[in-house]
């Protein structure tokens, strides 16, 4: 039975006139008459509920009434032209499961009396915000029988849609009589909010420009849901759920490529598919374009696509098909930048490392860090830059390429070269200042230094050096390419003591490779032997190139003997001994260490002398002579109190001796003594700040706990040691840790 006839029958059954029903329900006589005659579309849920209450309709009869109303709404919607219809959903949507669950949960929290949930989906250009919103609307269509409406707010156009224009479109889509649509933007937005209050609609406001454009359109209480997409975070909106979309996971990228292009589905192409995904930065728009180009060229393999995308200078040009291009998507955000924002954006292409902080951005533009931070936030807001932790930033790989294109187009070569040189020199000068905090002869800021980086303490200096390692290492390459040999040597020398806090970093191999080459070109031959020794240490200890480390140590020793430099000869013998010990040549290593210690003592090199007890002890441990090794380690603890050694070298020597004593006691089966020694080493390791040293402390405690039969405690300590050793040059120790854990499980 049609809805109008059912309403008339129910009214007559109750004996009510239209006027009486109007008075009881609050619905106008005209509206009731139009409904009964079928002259207007189905009433909204609130109107129907008021009529049902007045007619005392309950149970099955009320459900039939609601079903008739729903069927009429669907018939009416199908019969009229569809306005604000969502765009076609992609058939190969992948990933975003967690994010879609968040939208689904938000939809479930809505009710007639609570504020309409608003979800803001934000992210960089090309990350798939619109596709995500359309996918969410499609999955939730059954929850919103009154419709799913989509409005493109044209937020990145030169003239975005006004709230009033969007409201007019929505009112027409919501079947509001054109003659009743308000004459002002404020009136139309108010009508949208009032109309949505009674309707179970899902509203997608796509490509929003800013908060001011959105606020007038957002409904108050009601049973609907609003999904907003924007390149901006829209931080000024309160009480909304924000979902930031990141590039896809590698497996999702591969799945998308396979769904688009048949060539990518061949298992033999898996490696090339992975490479294409990486070259596209796992960005959905780039992946879709790359996949479409591949699918449209039946003669291509995925390898052909890899070859096209491998050229960084042509990659963005190759990520273009038809009227869609990655660079064009970036350009829309770029066009919205202020003049200073655009200058910073292109100059950030000079940054060589993966991430950076505001002071480096300030150097590139000649501004102070606070002004630079404001401009960086502008780039983040437009999706052209990403936050990396609390105060660092990074480019998406493809946006970095776009910034580089803008830099080449907008600045002449001379200006680009000058900016690059200024950046590199600032990085290296700051590196020298920070590194000298760790040198026994310095240990403070130079008088009058007023750089933009906080380096007032050793801890601040160390944090900066670690955070900016990728940038200052690249700057060192720039100085080496320019032939600035003295600067290269000065930087490497300033980092010598700091390197002990990052022993496992493989970058030292390049640092001291560059400084060795630079020192060989300078007139001071002593610098050449010093940096040959540093290079030997890096080759042996940091990257485990043992033959190379031994050859460098032997070359350094020959040159030291030629120059009569006994101190550097001792260091060369020490580094040779380390390479020999790592190579399993323990007797030869022991001999080299003992000769080195004699020479160090002869010339009063107390730092070198103390370190050699460690080398001798470790060689003896490898030979199974644990009692002798224990005596050597304890000699360090005695001598460090007797010799004039600077505080930080003394800390390092004491730490090494303590955990080595613990390890020797473990080998001797003296478990409780080993634990006591390791516990004395623990605060020293924490203060020193080198993960591998702390790992050795936990290893000693774990092995001692295992020896005492405390399996659970041993596993905890050994797992902690494993975490600290992972991904470092201490990986040769991880086999020992895993074997110990396996023994505990057995």
């Amino acid at each position: 039975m049609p809805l109008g006839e059912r309403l008339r029958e129910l009214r007559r059954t109750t004996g009510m006139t239209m006027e009486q029903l109007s008075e009881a329900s609050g619905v106008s006589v005209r509206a009731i008459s139009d409904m009964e005659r079928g002259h207007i579309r189905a009433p909204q849920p609130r109107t129907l509920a008021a009529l049902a209450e007045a007619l005392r309709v309950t149970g099955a009869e009320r459900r039939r009434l609601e079903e008739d109303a729903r069927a009429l709404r669907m018939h009416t919607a199908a019969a009229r032209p569809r306005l604000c219809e969502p765009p076609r959903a992609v058939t190969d949507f992948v990933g975003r499961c967690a994010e879609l669950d968040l939208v689904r949960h938000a939809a479930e929290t809505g009710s007639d009396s609570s504020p309409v949930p608003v979800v803001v989906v934000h992210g960089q250009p090309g990350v798939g915000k619109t596709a995500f919103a359309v996918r969410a609307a499609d999955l939730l269509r059954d929850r919103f029988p009154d419709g799913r409406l989509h409005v493109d707010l044209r937020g990145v156009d030169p003239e975005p849609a006004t709230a009033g224009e969007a409201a007019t479109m929505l009112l027409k889509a919501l079947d509001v009589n054109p003659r009743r649509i308000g004459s002002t933007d404020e009136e139309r937005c108010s009508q949208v909010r009032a109309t949505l209050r009674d309707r179970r609609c899902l509203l997608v406001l796509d490509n929003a420009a800013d908060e001011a454009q959105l606020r007038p359109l957002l409904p108050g209480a009601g049973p609907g849901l609003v999904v907003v997409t924007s390149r901006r975070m829209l931080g000024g909106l309160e009480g909304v759920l924000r979902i930031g979309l990141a590039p896809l996971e590698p497996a999702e990228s591969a799945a998308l490529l396979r769904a688009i292009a048949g060539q990518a589905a061949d298992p033999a192409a898996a490696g090339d598919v992975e490479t294409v995904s990486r070259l596209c930065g796992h960005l959905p728009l780039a992946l879709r374009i790359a996949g479409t180009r591949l699918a449209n060229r039946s003669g291509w393999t995925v390898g052909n696509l890899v070859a096209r995308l491998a050229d960084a200078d042509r990659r963005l040009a190759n990520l273009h098909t038809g009227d869609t291009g990655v660079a064009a998507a970036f350009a829309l955000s770029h066009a919205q930048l202020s003049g200073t924002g655009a200058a910073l954006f292109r100059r950030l292409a000079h940054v060589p490392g993966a991430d950076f902080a505001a002071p480096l951005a300030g150097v590139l533009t000649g501004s102070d860090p606070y002004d630079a931070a404001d401009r960086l936030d502008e780039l983040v807001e437009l999706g052209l830059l990403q936050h990396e932790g609390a105060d660092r930033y990074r480019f998406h790989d493809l946006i970095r390429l776009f910034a580089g294109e803008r830099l080449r187009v907008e600045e002449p070569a001379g200006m680009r070269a000058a900016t690059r040189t200024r950046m590199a020199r600032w990085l290296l000068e700051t590196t020298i200042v920070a590194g000298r905090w760790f040198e026994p002869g310095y240990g403070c800021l130079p008088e009058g230094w007023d750089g933009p980086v906080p380096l007032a303490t050793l801890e601040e200096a160390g944090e900066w050096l670690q955070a900016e390692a990728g940038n200052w290492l690249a700057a060192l390459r720039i100085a080496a390419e320019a032939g600035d040999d003295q600067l290269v040597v000065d930087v490497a020398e300033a980092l010598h003591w700091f390197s002990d806090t990052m022993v496992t970093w493989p970058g030292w191999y390049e640092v001291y490779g560059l400084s060795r080459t630079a020192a060989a070109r300078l007139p001071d031959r002593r610098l050449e032997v010093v940096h040959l020794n540093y290079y030997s240490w890096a080759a042996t200890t940091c990257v485990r190139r043992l033959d190379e480390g031994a050859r460098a140590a032997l070359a350094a020793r020959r040159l030291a003997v030629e120059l009569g430099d006994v101190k550097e000869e001792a260091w060369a013998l020490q580094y040779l001994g380390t390479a020999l010990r790592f190579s399993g040549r323990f007797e030869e290593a022991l001999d080299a260490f003992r000769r080195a210690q004699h020479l160090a003592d002869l010339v009063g090199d107390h730092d070198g002398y103390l370190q050699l007890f460690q080398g001798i002890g470790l060689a003896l441990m490898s030979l199974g002579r644990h009692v002798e090794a224990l005596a050597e380690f304890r000699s360090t603890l005695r001598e460090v109190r007797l010799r004039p050694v600077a505080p930080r070298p003394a800390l390092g020597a004491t730490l090494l001796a303590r955990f080595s004593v613990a390890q020797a006691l473990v080998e001797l089966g003296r478990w409780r003594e080993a634990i006591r020694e390791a516990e004395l080493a623990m605060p020293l390791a924490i203060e020193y700040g080198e993960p591998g040293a702390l790992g050795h402390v936990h290893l000693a405690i774990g092995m001692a706990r295992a020896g005492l039969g405390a399996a659970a405690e041993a596993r905890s300590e050994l797992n902690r040691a494993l975490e600290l050793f992972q991904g470092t040059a201490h990986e040769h120790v991880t086999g020992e840790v895993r074997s110990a854990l396996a023994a505990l499980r057995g």
Side-chain angles (χ1 to χ4, degrees):
M1 181 185 297
L3 177 66
E5 292 181 19
R6 191 178 298 280
L7 282 172
R8 184 186 300 113
E9 181 178 296
L10 290 169
R11 178 176 60 78
R12 288 174 176 174
T13 299
T14 61
M16 299 177 72
T17 64
M18 285 188 187
E19 288 77 8
Q20 289 169 329
L21 179 56
S22 174
E23 184 177 351
S25 66
V27 179
S28 70
V29 173
R30 173 68 179 272
I32 294 171
S33 174
D34 286 346
M35 275 187 271
E36 290 187 0
R37 291 180 295 155
H39 289 177
I40 65 172
R41 72 190 302 275
Q44 291 306 310
R46 181 175 296 185
T47 302
L48 189 65
L51 291 169
E53 290 293 330
L55 293 167
R56 296 186 177 88
V57 178
T58 59
E61 186 61 46
R62 181 160 179 167
R63 285 193 294 274
R64 280 194 296 272
L65 195 65
E66 291 170 346
E67 289 169 2
D68 288 345
R70 187 175 298 113
L72 180 58
R73 280 197 295 273
M74 293 176 66
H75 173 76
T76 305
R80 70 176 188 273
R82 302 298 293 268
L83 299 176
C84 297
E85 180 74 5
R88 177 177 180 268
V90 295
T91 58
D92 45 26
F93 188 91
V94 299
R96 312 298 194 197
C97 295
E99 293 88 348
L100 287 168
D101 283 343
L102 290 173
V103 179
R104 186 179 295 109
H105 178 71
E108 292 169 353
T109 63
S111 68
D112 291 0
S113 58
S114 62
V116 172
V118 177
V119 179
V120 174
V121 181
H122 61 90
Q124 68 187 73
V127 81
K129 299 179 291 295
T130 297
F132 174 85
V134 172
R135 175 70 169 177
D138 189 49
L139 292 175
L140 294 170
R141 60 185 177 277
D142 292 340
R143 292 191 61 87
F144 298 98
D146 291 331
R148 295 167 297 137
L149 306 176
H150 176 278
V151 178
D152 183 359
L153 297 176
R154 308 194 310 273
V156 292
D157 284 10
E159 293 185 11
T162 66
E165 291 170 344
T168 300
M169 295 173 62
L170 287 170
L171 290 170
K172 290 178 179 179
L174 291 165
D175 263 357
V176 174
N177 189 318
R179 288 178 294 180
R180 295 181 57 201
I181 293 177
S183 59
T184 67
D185 286 358
E186 184 177 354
E187 290 173 350
R188 292 193 288 271
C189 291
S190 179
Q191 284 179 292
V192 168
R193 296 195 301 270
T195 304
L196 290 175
R197 187 185 305 124
D198 296 327
R199 304 202 189 182
R200 194 172 292 277
C201 286
L202 191 157
L203 175 58
V204 177
L205 298 175
D206 196 16
N207 194 12
D210 52 35
E211 295 89 339
Q213 183 192 43
L214 281 170
R215 281 197 186 94
L217 298 170
L218 298 181
L225 174 70
V226 179
V227 178
V228 176
T229 74
S230 179
R231 297 185 180 193
R232 301 175 183 269
M233 291 182 63
L234 303 177
L237 294 181
E238 298 177 350
V240 304
L241 169 65
R242 287 184 175 80
I243 299 177
L245 294 187
L248 296 175
E249 294 296 323
E252 295 169 343
S253 298
L256 180 56
L257 285 171
R258 288 194 296 268
I260 297 171
Q263 300 97 310
D266 182 355
D272 285 338
V273 168
E274 181 180 346
T275 301
V276 169
S277 299
R278 177 177 54 79
L279 293 174
C280 289
H282 304 288
L283 194 67
L285 176 62
L287 291 162
R288 193 166 293 283
I289 292 171
T292 301
R293 292 197 68 188
L294 182 60
N296 291 338
R297 291 162 174 79
S298 58
W300 275 21
T301 65
V302 186
N304 295 130
L305 185 58
V306 170
R308 292 294 184 104
L309 297 178
D311 182 357
D313 291 337
R314 294 285 303 159
R315 190 173 305 153
L316 290 178
N318 281 304
L319 289 173
H320 182 280
T321 185
D323 62 350
T324 305
V326 171
F330 298 159
L332 291 173
S333 285
H334 181 264
Q336 296 188 323
L337 289 172
S338 64
T340 51
L344 175 59
F345 174 74
R346 62 179 178 264
R347 289 188 179 182
L348 286 174
H350 284 296
V351 176
D355 54 59
F356 56 90
L360 181 53
V363 170
L364 289 168
T365 56
S367 60
D368 66 56
Y370 298 104
D371 289 340
D374 289 341
R375 299 285 73 77
L376 290 169
D377 287 342
E378 179 186 356
L379 299 182
V380 170
E381 183 71 8
L382 285 167
L384 293 172
L385 202 61
Q386 302 166 2
H387 270 296
E388 183 79 0
D391 58 358
R392 298 187 69 78
Y393 305 83
R394 70 182 303 136
F395 271 134
H396 182 275
D397 290 346
L398 295 179
I399 296 180
R400 180 190 292 273
L401 293 179
F402 180 73
E405 286 187 358
R406 300 318 312 158
L407 181 66
R408 290 188 292 273
V409 168
E410 297 174 23
E411 293 192 5
M415 182 182 294
R416 297 198 304 270
T419 301
R420 182 172 183 261
T421 299
R422 182 173 70 248
M423 174 196 70
R425 183 159 289 275
W426 177 82
L427 280 165
L428 296 181
E429 289 173 352
T430 307
T431 298
I432 291 172
V433 171
R436 283 180 173 167
W437 262 108
F438 296 81
E439 291 192 50
Y442 290 87
C444 62
L445 279 175
E447 186 175 349
W449 190 81
D450 61 350
V453 177
L455 299 177
T457 65
L458 179 142
E459 289 73 23
E460 287 181 344
E463 288 170 3
W464 186 87
L465 286 169
Q466 289 187 42
E468 297 290 351
N471 289 318
W472 59 251
L473 177 55
L476 193 67
R477 294 186 199 114
I478 293 172
E481 290 168 4
D484 197 342
D485 295 328
Q486 189 62 58
L487 179 58
V488 171
V489 168
D490 289 346
V491 171
E493 185 63 46
L495 292 168
H496 171 56
W497 286 94
F498 169 73
S499 66
D500 285 341
T501 70
M502 289 174 60
V503 171
T504 61
W505 185 50
W508 296 124
Y509 178 71
E510 184 176 2
V511 169
Y512 290 112
L514 292 173
S515 70
R516 177 196 64 171
T517 301
R521 291 196 291 255
L522 293 173
D524 185 350
R525 297 200 69 199
R526 183 185 173 279
L527 286 176
E528 183 178 354
V529 68
V530 167
H531 287 268
L532 262 173
N533 272 330
Y534 292 165
Y535 178 70
S536 172
W537 167 80
T540 297
T541 306
C542 303
V543 295
R544 287 297 191 270
R545 299 189 177 189
L546 305 181
D547 289 342
E548 195 172 343
R551 286 195 300 272
L554 288 169
R557 187 189 181 201
R558 286 194 297 271
L559 183 55
V561 170
E562 179 186 336
L563 298 175
D565 192 328
V566 178
K567 178 181 176 181
E568 289 304 322
E569 182 185 357
W571 280 104
L573 283 167
Q574 177 172 345
Y575 294 137
L576 175 62
T578 302
L580 292 170
R581 183 172 69 83
F582 285 167
S583 300
R585 297 159 65 179
F586 305 123
E587 290 286 2
E588 295 173 75
L590 186 59
D591 178 63
F593 286 140
R594 282 180 167 152
R595 284 187 288 148
Q597 190 174 49
H598 170 72
L599 294 176
D601 193 29
L602 190 66
V603 296
D605 181 3
H606 304 296
D607 293 327
Y609 180 79
L610 287 174
Q611 288 188 32
L612 281 155
F613 282 114
Q614 183 76 10
I616 293 168
L618 290 174
L620 289 168
M621 289 275 284
S622 299
L623 291 166
R625 295 156 62 178
H626 302 123
V627 174
E628 294 175 67
L630 183 61
E632 293 290 338
F633 298 141
R634 283 182 166 156
S635 293
T636 308
L637 297 174
R638 181 188 67 249
E639 291 292 326
V640 77
R641 293 191 294 268
L642 299 176
R643 291 177 177 260
V645 182
R648 186 160 181 83
L651 172 65
T654 305
L655 166 61
L656 288 170
R658 286 284 181 205
F659 74 65
S660 297
V661 165
Q663 289 171 337
L665 290 168
V666 166
E667 294 295 334
L668 291 167
R670 294 157 61 177
W671 318 119
R672 296 190 187 283
E673 290 179 71
I675 291 171
R676 284 196 297 272
E677 287 291 343
E679 287 175 344
L680 290 172
M682 184 73 72
L684 303 177
I686 293 170
E687 181 182 354
Y688 198 73
E690 203 280 304
L694 186 57
H696 278 289
V697 175
H698 284 284
L699 172 58
I701 295 175
M703 297 297 286
R705 295 287 185 199
L708 290 169
E713 295 174 0
R715 278 194 293 271
S716 176
E717 295 290 343
L718 292 172
N719 280 320
R720 179 62 179 140
L722 198 60
E723 291 173 11
L724 290 161
F725 290 140
Q726 289 287 4
T728 71
H730 291 281
E731 287 179 354
H732 60 290
V733 188
T734 59
E736 178 185 351
V737 181
R738 290 195 179 95
S739 297
L741 285 167
L744 288 170
R745 287 193 294 269

